[in-house]
């Protein structure tokens, strides 16, 4: 279950109004300090929700359309609550043991530091690599489109050219050419003047033995960035293969 930004905003506002009393007298805290103030507990839970993209009902017994006062927050029935407790221990260890040991006034790691608003804190490249493995080039196209539709402009996934070209390069160098090319096509749809996309298209076509396509894309890359003179070396190699192929 994912939270939209709008839902997050509503959540922040609504928990302060509709939750009268629920944070006053916690009965089952095993990691958080027992004497935590209601305000702090409330803020911590909001941090859990917004950090992981899970609603209160993701970790606690209750339904989304139920009033929070009717939830059973004490219960440890839900799997994600138990996992979250482990996570909380981990975050405490990171902050209080590891980071304290390297700096007095260190950055505080929070749920959102890793999760960035999603339940499974995978990077875009990892999600796409799984899609490639399961469903090939179609998987890459479909997964990219749906993630971009849902998350573009949020902090959850990095849709930068750097991330996309790293994915294409890794796929191509592992021999997954259709998956790599699917990503390069996406990059060119987004920006037909992308140096990285044309350069990688050229390089991967060269590796696949398609010298015509390789030459075309490398020349375009060079036109976009005339300073990338290293491309001339590859173009010379391509000319050489053309020369060798010509009948004497
Ligand atoms: C990612 C999982 C997760 C989410 C989401 C979450 N919580 Fe919690 N909540 C926990 C865990 C874990 C504890 C127990 C912490 C401990 O053992 O110290 C807890 C404890 C509580 C308690 C104290 C219960 C008691 O009696 O001990 C309340 C109240 C609470 N949460 C309310 C909320 C509300 C309201 C929301 C939604 C804004 C929410 N939580 C979202 C994991 C979550
Ligand atoms: C250092 C990075 C990091 C931090 C900080 C972190 N998590 Fe996680 N969390 C992970 C990773 C990685 C996984 C996925 C584990 C796996 O592969 O099953 C995960 C999994 C989870 C899951 C289970 C999700 C699932 O689909 O099974 C929950 C719930 C969760 N984290 C809650 C939290 C909460 C709440 C906090 C803050 C108290 C937090 N995490 C902080 C890295 C982190």
């Amino acid at each position: 279950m994912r939270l939209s930004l709008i839902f997050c905003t509503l959540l922040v506002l609504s928990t302060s109004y509709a939750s009268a009393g629920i944070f006053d007298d916690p009965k089952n805290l095993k990691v958080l300090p027992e004497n935590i103030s209601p305000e702090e507990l409330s803020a911590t839970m909001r941090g859990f929700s917004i950090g992981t993209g899970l609603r209160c009902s993701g970790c606690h017994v209750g339904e989304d359309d139920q009033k929070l006062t009717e939830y059973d927050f004490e219960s440890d029935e839900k799997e994600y609550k138990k996992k979250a407790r482990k996570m909380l221990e981990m975050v405490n260890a990171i902050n209080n043991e590891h980071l304290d040991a390297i700096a007095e006034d260190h950055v505080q790691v929070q749920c959102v530091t890793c999760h960035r608003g999603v339940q499974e804190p995978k990077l875009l490249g990892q999600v796409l690599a799984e899609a490639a493995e399961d469903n090939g080039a179609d998987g890459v196209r479909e997964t990219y489109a749906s993630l971009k539709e849902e998350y573009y402009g949020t902090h959850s996934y990095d849709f930068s050219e750097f991330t996309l070209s790293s994915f294409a390069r890794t796929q191509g160098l592992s021999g997954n050419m259709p998956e790599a090319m699917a990503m390069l096509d996406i990059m060119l749809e987004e920006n037909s003047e992308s140096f990285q996309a044309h350069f990688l298209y050229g390089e991967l076509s060269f590796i696949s033995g398609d010298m015509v396509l390789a030459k075309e894309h490398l020349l375009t890359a060079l036109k976009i960035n005339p300073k990338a003179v290293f491309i001339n070396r590859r173009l010379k190699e391509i000319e050489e293969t053309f020369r060798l192929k010509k009948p004497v």
Side-chain angles (χ1 to χ4, degrees):
M1 212 183 307
R2 289 157 179 166
L3 290 189
S4 68
L5 275 184
I6 295 172
F7 179 77
C8 285
T9 315
L10 286 177
L11 177 88
V12 172
L13 295 174
S14 68
T15 42
S16 20
Y17 291 109
S19 60
I22 61 170
F23 299 108
D24 288 355
D25 186 22
K27 301 275 193 310
N28 186 20
L29 297 185
K30 296 189 170 139
V31 185
L32 292 169
E34 272 175 37
N35 62 352
I36 190 169
S37 72
E39 292 75 27
E40 255 182 284
L41 182 57
S42 167
T44 305
M45 289 304 137
R46 268 183 279 142
F48 281 19
S49 275
I50 293 168
T52 63
L54 284 160
R55 300 174 189 220
C56 311
S57 59
C59 294
H60 294 292
V61 177
E63 301 296 329
D64 285 339
D65 54 7
Q66 234 178 332
K67 284 195 200 120
L68 287 179
T69 45
E70 291 166 7
Y71 275 50
D72 181 359
F73 287 111
E74 200 184 321
S75 162
D76 282 346
E77 198 178 296
K78 290 230 167 143
E79 211 46 48
Y80 286 155
K81 183 177 181 189
K82 286 181 241 167
K83 288 191 178 182
R85 208 175 249 141
K86 278 275 157 232
M87 286 279 144
L88 189 56
E89 284 172 351
M90 177 187 76
V91 171
N92 285 345
I94 292 174
N95 285 319
N96 304 338
E97 294 168 33
H98 305 288
L99 293 177
D100 273 3
I102 62 155
E104 255 175 48
D105 188 18
H106 60 76
V107 175
Q108 288 293 321
V109 167
Q110 306 170 2
C111 312
V112 73
T113 310
C114 297
H115 281 267
R116 310 171 324 273
V118 287
Q119 188 186 313
E120 276 201 299
K122 286 179 187 153
L123 300 176
L124 181 63
Q126 294 174 311
V127 181
L128 291 175
E130 283 173 15
E133 178 127 9
D134 294 344
N135 293 308
D138 282 344
V140 173
R141 277 187 286 268
E142 283 158 22
T143 304
Y144 181 80
S146 73
L147 288 178
K148 189 157 182 199
E149 162 125 1
E150 184 161 0
Y151 293 106
Y152 188 73
T154 73
H155 59 168
S156 293
Y157 294 105
D158 170 19
F159 295 99
S160 70
E161 185 174 70
F162 176 79
T163 294
L164 304 189
S165 57
S166 303
F167 173 77
R169 179 185 288 109
T170 310
Q171 289 290 317
L173 296 181
S174 330
N176 302 334
M177 285 301 171
E179 290 80 356
M181 293 304 183
M183 179 47 74
L184 294 178
D185 286 337
I186 291 171
M187 291 173 71
L188 289 175
E189 270 165 41
E190 291 182 352
N191 173 14
S192 60
E193 296 286 287
S194 162
F195 170 79
Q196 275 299 331
H198 285 291
F199 174 63
L200 278 175
Y201 226 120
E203 286 294 289
L204 295 181
S205 301
F206 179 82
I207 293 173
S208 319
D210 188 336
M211 297 304 153
V212 177
L213 205 56
K215 183 176 171 184
E216 185 189 317
H217 280 286
L218 289 175
L219 282 174
T220 311
L222 197 54
K223 214 158 118 196
I224 295 168
N225 181 6
K227 283 190 192 144
V229 287
F230 57 90
I231 289 178
N232 285 317
R233 243 181 296 144
R234 184 67 90 204
L235 285 167
K236 261 203 203 120
E237 276 181 83
I238 293 172
E239 286 311 320
E240 186 68 7
T241 62
F242 283 139
R243 202 180 54 78
L244 290 176
K245 271 194 207 146
K246 265 196 203 127
V248 268

